[in-house]
Each structure stands twice: as C-alpha cells, then as structure tokens.
Amino acid sequence: MSCHIILQKKGYRLTPQRVEIIRILHNSNQHISADEIYTKLKTKFLYANKSTVYRTLELLKEENLVIDSILEDKIIRYHIAAKGDHHHLICSKCNKIISIPEDIFEATRKIIEEKYGFEISIKHEILIGLCSDCRKS
Amino acid sequence: MSCHIILQKKGYRLTPQRVEIIRILHNSNQHISADEIYTKLKTKFLYANKSTVYRTLELLKEENLVIDSILEDKIIRYHIAAKGDHHHLICSKCNKIISIPEDIFEATRKIIEEKYGFEISIKHEILIGLCSDCRKS
DNA sequence: GTACATGCAAACCGTTTGCAGCCTA
DNA sequence: TAGGCTGCAAACGGTTTGCATGTAC
C-alpha cells in the first residue's frame, strides 16, 4: 500500500508538499538527508520550508513509513521503509548502497544469544565498507 | 600504556582538567556523553568549561585513545579505547553494557563477502537488545 | 467552514571558534 | 619564558516551535 493512501486513511491531509517529499524519498535510492530533501523540494515549491520537511519526515517516521539512520558523520538520513529492506551496505568509496536481507545477522544473533544470553534487536543496521568494484581498483 | 604518558610523549600538556577528564572516562564503564563528562568535571573544577571537554575529547579521539559512537538517540558518547574492546551490547531495559570480542561478526562478515563481494569494516559496533537478566523478568 | 498544514522567524541545543589571559613544561 | 591550554562569550548548524495565514477536506 502506498504511503499516500496510508496517510489519507489515517486522516492526514495529502498536501502537494507531502506528496512531493514522498516522491523524493521514493526516487532517491540513496539514504537522503533532510537538507537534500529540502533542496529538491525547493526546485518545485519556491517557498518550500525546512520545517515542512522535518514535520513531514516526523509524520512518516511515526507511521513507520520511513526509517531514519545516523552514520559516523552524524547526519540523519531517511529512506522509505520497504518491507525486509532494513539493512544496507554502503561503500565508503563510491557511496553505492546495497540492500541486504534481514536474516543476514542470524549467525551473529545466535552466537550472542548462546554466549551472553543477550537478545539483540537489530532493526536497521548499516555497514560501511568497500564494494566489490572498489576493492578491485 | 596509560593515556597520560601517551599524551605527554606526544608533547601535549598534562593539565589538571585533562587528567580529570581521562579519569572520568576511565571510571565510567558506561559510554558517556560530553555533557555528562562536563557535569562531573564541574564538581572538581568550579569554572570548568564545556569547550575544554570538547577539545580534550577531540584530542583523545585524534590519538585513538577514545572512541565516540552515536546511537539512535543521536547523542554522541565516548569511551576509552581499550584494545579488542570495540563492540558492545547495550541492554535497552537496564542499560547494562557488555563488551564483546572483535571476531563476533566473523560469520556475518564471511556471508557478506561471499554473497556480495563486499568487505565490511566494522570498527565499533553497538547492538541494542535485552540482557539475560531482563529477559527473565 | 474548519481544522489541519504551511511559511516564516525566532528559539533551541549540542558543538565549534576567536580571543585574552593563564600555566605547564 | 613561551607556546600550548583554559574560560568566556559569541557563532554555528541542524532541528524544533509558536504563530498567523493558507488550504485540503
């Protein structure tokens, strides 16, 4: 079900700004910062405002439609919460983003559970490294 | 080798404030924020200043004596960089912190390498979850 | 028509910076 | 004694908030 319909069903208004922000999030396969969204939004709405971006992201987050994550650069980035698409590899050289399945941490999860009795709740993990292309060069 | 000696060897001055900040970091087995360090520092130095805290943490980070990490609450926390003590489990209920060995991600690392040709560089990972005590209750 | 959403400006908060004076080496 | 370090105050940048106006429903 699309974000728009979910918002509408919950009684939120589908303003052009919200529609555009959702479109920007969808069109960006990168994890994107609030500021980048704002810049893109401005190309369509001359008077668009950052607080609209933040308020919309807050709303989408509350409705579990977007996920925010924070990397070592301390900038919060957002992406659409697609089912089973919560973990990513990000190449530190070319910034390529690869989605990885949820069960990738199963081995680690089991080891930690057996060794420490600790139950990890990995919701959205990002691993930095080098992709295969960049390793070759 | 202790932090003090390393700093001294590199030509940095061992001011009372720096010594105390290092002591606070050592005495706190928790990951601790700049603000918490500042509050503790003030109990000893009435006129202590936040910028001193930030500048000292910056220095210790540069010398690889402390590691900073950022969790979902977006607050940067610091802890002494002990060898082979880079990964932690943090219990979301009682805030207990458990250090885990570096090789804990080996299985995941291997899977990702085989499947995607992607070489992850996990330097300092924090996993949130429930510790064995809190799972029982 | 009405309540919700927007744009604007100002506040907020953690962090950084410039500077004068202080203190470690 | 000299240059690095501190405290202070002000700036900074990302984010949040209060308010009047605008608009989706």
Side-chain angles (χ1 to χ4, degrees):
Chain A
M1 189 154 58
S2 98
C3 292
H4 312 92
I5 296 171
I6 293 173
L7 287 187
Q8 224 163 15
K9 269 201 169 179
K10 297 246 182 173
Y12 298 110
R13 293 191 185 159
L14 269 191
T15 64
Q17 291 91 331
R18 284 187 179 165
V19 173
E20 180 62 13
I21 290 171
I22 293 170
R23 202 189 60 77
I24 290 167
L25 280 164
H26 264 112
N27 278 22
S28 134
N29 57 347
Q30 298 275 342
H31 293 208
I32 189 170
S33 69
D35 196 64
E36 288 164 333
I37 293 172
Y38 169 65
T39 304
K40 284 175 192 280
L41 188 66
K42 268 215 140 177
T43 64
K44 209 157 202 167
F45 301 90
L46 190 54
Y47 294 101
N49 194 270
K50 273 198 181 183
S51 45
T52 303
V53 174
Y54 282 109
R55 284 190 273 232
T56 301
L57 288 171
E58 180 66 27
L59 175 67
L60 295 171
K61 234 166 68 186
E62 263 169 33
E63 297 302 324
N64 297 313
L65 297 171
V66 310
I67 290 171
D68 65 333
S69 50
I70 190 157
L71 291 182
E72 279 162 44
D73 61 6
K74 277 101 195 177
I75 293 172
I76 304 172
R77 290 194 178 73
Y78 303 83
H79 74 275
I80 293 289
K83 199 173 174 304
D85 175 34
H86 298 318
H87 306 313
H88 298 91
L89 307 172
I90 301 186
C91 179
S92 56
K93 207 166 169 184
C94 70
N95 292 318
K96 191 189 298 163
I97 297 185
I98 303 166
S99 290
I100 54 177
E102 293 202 59
D103 61 6
I104 206 97
F105 294 104
E106 265 322 299
T108 300
R109 184 195 300 280
K110 253 186 205 163
I111 293 171
I112 290 174
E113 172 132 16
E114 281 166 16
K115 234 173 151 176
Y116 304 95
F118 192 100
E119 184 188 346
I120 59 175
S121 73
I122 301 184
K123 286 179 200 153
H124 179 241
E125 202 65 30
I126 291 174
L127 299 173
I128 309 294
L130 282 178
C131 72
S132 55
D133 293 343
C134 290
R135 285 172 74 187
K136 284 168 200 156
S137 57
Chain B
M1 189 155 55
S2 96
C3 293
H4 312 93
I5 297 172
I6 292 172
L7 287 187
Q8 224 163 17
K9 268 202 170 174
K10 296 248 182 167
Y12 297 110
R13 295 195 182 157
L14 267 192
T15 64
Q17 290 90 334
R18 284 187 179 164
V19 172
E20 180 61 15
I21 290 172
I22 292 169
R23 202 190 60 77
I24 290 167
L25 281 163
H26 264 112
N27 278 22
S28 133
N29 57 348
Q30 298 274 341
H31 294 210
I32 189 170
S33 69
D35 195 63
E36 289 164 333
I37 294 172
Y38 169 63
T39 304
K40 284 174 194 280
L41 188 65
K42 269 216 142 178
T43 66
K44 210 158 204 164
F45 300 92
L46 190 55
Y47 294 101
N49 196 271
K50 272 199 180 182
S51 44
T52 303
V53 174
Y54 281 110
R55 285 190 273 231
T56 301
L57 288 170
E58 180 66 26
L59 175 64
L60 294 172
K61 236 169 65 186
E62 261 168 32
E63 296 301 325
N64 296 313
L65 297 172
V66 309
I67 289 170
D68 66 332
S69 50
I70 192 156
L71 291 181
E72 278 161 44
D73 61 7
K74 279 101 195 177
I75 294 172
I76 304 172
R77 290 195 179 73
Y78 303 83
H79 73 276
I80 294 288
K83 198 169 172 304
D85 174 34
H86 298 318
H87 306 313
H88 298 93
L89 308 173
I90 300 185
C91 178
S92 57
K93 207 166 170 189
C94 70
N95 292 318
K96 191 189 296 160
I97 298 185
I98 303 166
S99 289
I100 53 176
E102 293 203 59
D103 61 6
I104 205 95
F105 293 105
E106 265 322 298
T108 301
R109 184 195 302 281
K110 251 186 206 162
I111 293 172
I112 290 175
E113 171 132 18
E114 282 166 16
K115 231 171 151 176
Y116 304 97
F118 192 99
E119 182 189 348
I120 59 175
S121 74
I122 300 184
K123 284 178 201 152
H124 179 239
E125 201 66 30
I126 291 175
L127 298 174
I128 308 294
L130 281 178
C131 73
S132 54
D133 293 342
C134 289
R135 286 172 73 188
K136 285 167 199 158
S137 56

